[in-house]
Amino acid sequence: MGSHASDCLNKNQRIAFVPTMGALHEGHLALMRTARQHGDCVVVSIFVNPKQFNDPSDFKKYARDLDGDLKKCREVGVDCVFAPSESEIYPQHEKTKPVPLPEVAKPLEGVARPGHFQGVADVVSRLFTIVQPQSAVFGMKDYQQVRVIEEMVKEQKRNVKIIRHPTIREPDGLAMSSRNARLSSSGRKNALIIFKSLATAQSIVTTGERNRERVLQSVLNMLKSESGVKVDYVAVVDAINLKENPHQNVPWLVSIAAFVEGVRLIDNCILAPSQVKNSG
Ligand code: AMP
């Protein structure tokens, strides 16, 4: 990637960065358009990071389409695509220490996918060092990932502004994901219960339910009503520290991980303090 990005650096241009694993969809492209508002030079990385897959068969099955991705990046006006090889990111001769993980990496995905966030933190840290961005855009679909990166950047005292981007959804509400392509049309329909459960959580909290356990149970019951969906976990936690005793005046995170036709999907919503305050 060197020359174009270093051109940007030489010209003192601000680099806005979007790290991805490719198989790009509208969600990724929205991040790129937002990056454009934050930098003179938009850099996108495409790297299917083996270290963040706790399941080797998931890594193998992960969709890859570099030619299609490059075309999409061009259409969106990305200045530079960095699609490194594994040895560029993890040079054999360089012994790199794992990045220390913040507390927010421990629950939820941290429990369900051991090693996942170590892989994410290591690769993002390495990419930040190579790309040297002033800002980087991350999607709220992977909310815990955003929190991990925000804390990592603070810990490493990096001068990178982390920009949160809302989740981009299909017209019926399903969160866009590179993994959706592996669903059959009936699996695709079953998967919609994930979004519907989040919408229910939102609506029962908005209409007065303040009990975390009851919110959790409603989401679980709804998910379990769809036989084609196998729940991995549901959590209702403090959206800042991701702990299970959310205060009424902090936002709550409702987070779901579930398997549909063996494909692991995640989604979440954030309930603002105004929706969860006045606990009885
Ligand atoms: P991935 O290629 O899945 O690693 O995702 C790369 C970036 O795109 C991450 O910051 C994701 O959170 C973000 N992303 C993926 N899907 C969506 C979506 N539906 N809406 C918004 N951002 C997304």
Side-chain angles (χ1 to χ4, degrees):
M1 86 150 197
S3 67
H4 192 95
S6 38
D7 269 5
C8 294
L9 279 177
N10 292 341
K11 289 182 199 148
N12 250 338
Q13 289 184 321
R14 294 166 309 148
I15 295 178
F17 180 41
V18 183
T20 81
M21 297 203 297
L24 302 177
H25 51 67
E26 264 308 313
H28 296 115
L29 304 189
L31 266 56
M32 295 171 198
R33 291 187 192 102
T34 295
R36 168 60 62 220
Q37 297 162 18
H38 291 269
D40 311 298
C41 177
V42 175
V43 177
V44 170
S45 66
I46 297 177
F47 179 61
V48 187
N49 175 29
K51 269 202 191 177
Q52 72 186 70
F53 285 82
N54 53 315
D55 171 1
S57 89
D58 191 25
F59 172 66
K60 227 166 126 193
K61 285 186 205 152
Y62 202 84
R64 291 161 172 89
D65 174 22
L66 188 58
D67 288 344
D69 289 346
L70 291 175
K71 188 162 173 274
K72 287 175 188 159
C73 287
R74 214 172 294 128
E75 283 164 4
V76 178
V78 167
D79 297 289
C80 175
V81 175
F82 179 42
S85 64
E86 220 179 298
S87 61
E88 265 177 285
I89 295 296
Y90 304 116
Q92 300 227 319
H93 57 275
E94 244 180 69
K95 272 236 171 306
T96 46
K97 277 201 201 136
V99 166
L101 283 182
E103 281 289 304
V104 289
K106 287 187 182 158
L108 315 179
E109 295 293 280
V111 174
R113 300 183 69 190
H116 169 67
F117 282 128
Q118 191 62 63
V120 169
D122 288 349
V123 80
V124 172
S125 183
R126 175 91 178 135
L127 289 167
F128 280 179
T129 299
I130 297 171
V131 176
Q132 294 286 309
Q134 277 69 46
S135 59
V137 188
F138 289 85
M140 294 280 274
K141 187 177 94 66
D142 300 278
Y143 178 79
Q144 190 178 9
Q145 170 171 282
V146 178
R147 287 294 300 120
V148 170
I149 302 299
E150 285 171 345
E151 292 300 316
M152 182 192 86
V153 162
K154 240 191 266 170
E155 172 71 29
Q156 296 181 347
K157 299 188 171 62
R158 280 187 190 267
N159 211 358
V160 186
K161 183 175 178 203
I162 303 301
I163 294 147
R164 296 175 167 199
H165 195 290
T167 301
I168 303 296
R169 300 180 178 281
E170 301 286 354
D172 61 7
L174 182 71
M176 289 191 181
S177 164
S178 308
R179 291 192 158 93
N180 294 351
R182 280 161 46 199
L183 299 174
S184 71
S185 67
S186 70
R188 164 77 183 65
K189 273 188 207 129
N190 294 343
L192 201 53
I193 196 74
I194 297 173
F195 170 69
K196 287 184 179 157
S197 309
L198 291 172
T200 299
Q202 182 127 30
S203 100
I204 63 174
V205 168
T206 309
T207 51
E209 180 58 83
R210 307 293 183 222
N211 182 293
R212 188 190 77 91
E213 276 297 326
R214 284 201 290 267
V215 175
L216 187 75
Q217 269 313 319
S218 328
V219 173
L220 258 176
N221 291 343
M222 194 153 171
L223 284 169
K224 285 183 179 161
S225 71
E226 180 54 79
S227 59
V229 172
K230 191 173 147 263
V231 176
D232 191 0
Y233 67 79
V234 176
V236 181
V237 294
D238 179 320
I240 297 161
N241 61 24
L242 309 189
K243 292 193 172 155
E244 271 184 359
N245 51 349
H247 209 267
Q248 304 296 329
N249 51 17
V250 298
W252 288 7
L253 167 73
V254 184
S255 183
I256 297 175
F259 291 92
V260 180
E261 296 177 328
V263 181
R264 189 170 187 277
L265 302 174
I266 58 170
D267 201 351
N268 67 76
C269 70
I270 305 281
L271 304 176
S274 60
Q275 289 167 301
V276 294
K277 74 180 178 195
N278 301 328
S279 171

